[in-house]
Amino acid sequence: QVQLVESGGGLVQAGGSLGLSCAASVRTFGLYAMAWFRQSPGKEREFVVSISQSGVSTSYSDSVKGRFTVSRDNAKNTVYLQMNFLKPEDTAVYYCAARRGSGSVYRNDYYYWGQGTQVTVSS
């Protein structure tokens, strides 16, 4: 029902910034809470941030709070993740996720996932 495509990943030096985008192919984008998760080799996929259907409520992982900002544009069916002051430990594949209804910090609560985009932060 929902197709998600991430873009914007790449290589950046520590302290730099990257902006990720997630385009959703769905007719009722405003009915879905969105989230970003990330996964490093040998690690479980971990929660980064979620955003409510309207965009007024957000929830950030402590590891990114104050550095990352999530936003959405329901008219464009797109969610964004602005990442500032990047650290080498931010290196991971970043995944966009969607679920019908309220936001959640739990990976298994999300029904739809993008293919991911690689973010590499060099020291």
Side-chain angles (χ1 to χ4, degrees), residues 24-106:
S25 179
V26 63
R27 297 166 67 181
T28 54
F29 183 65
L31 298 180
Y32 294 83
M34 304 294 294
W36 291 92
F37 289 75
R38 65 187 182 185
Q39 187 168 21
S40 300
K43 305 287 187 180
E44 294 291 324
R45 193 169 299 186
E46 68 172 354
F47 172 79
V48 178
V49 62
S50 66
I51 185 167
S52 63
Q53 299 99 310
S54 67
V56 300
S57 297
T58 58
S59 182
Y60 292 87
S61 167
D62 287 343
S63 64
V64 306
K65 191 175 298 181
R67 300 188 297 120
F68 292 9
T69 303
V70 67
S71 61
R72 67 189 293 165
D73 186 342
N74 286 355
K76 298 179 66 175
N77 280 21
T78 304
V79 63
Y80 306 95
L81 182 64
Q82 180 62 45
M83 305 183 294
N84 300 319
F85 305 102
L86 283 160
K87 305 174 181 179
E89 51 262 46
D90 294 319
T91 295
V93 176
Y94 283 71
Y95 296 91
C96 179
R99 70 185 303 267
R100 186 89 172 256
S102 301
S104 172
V105 303
Y106 299 108

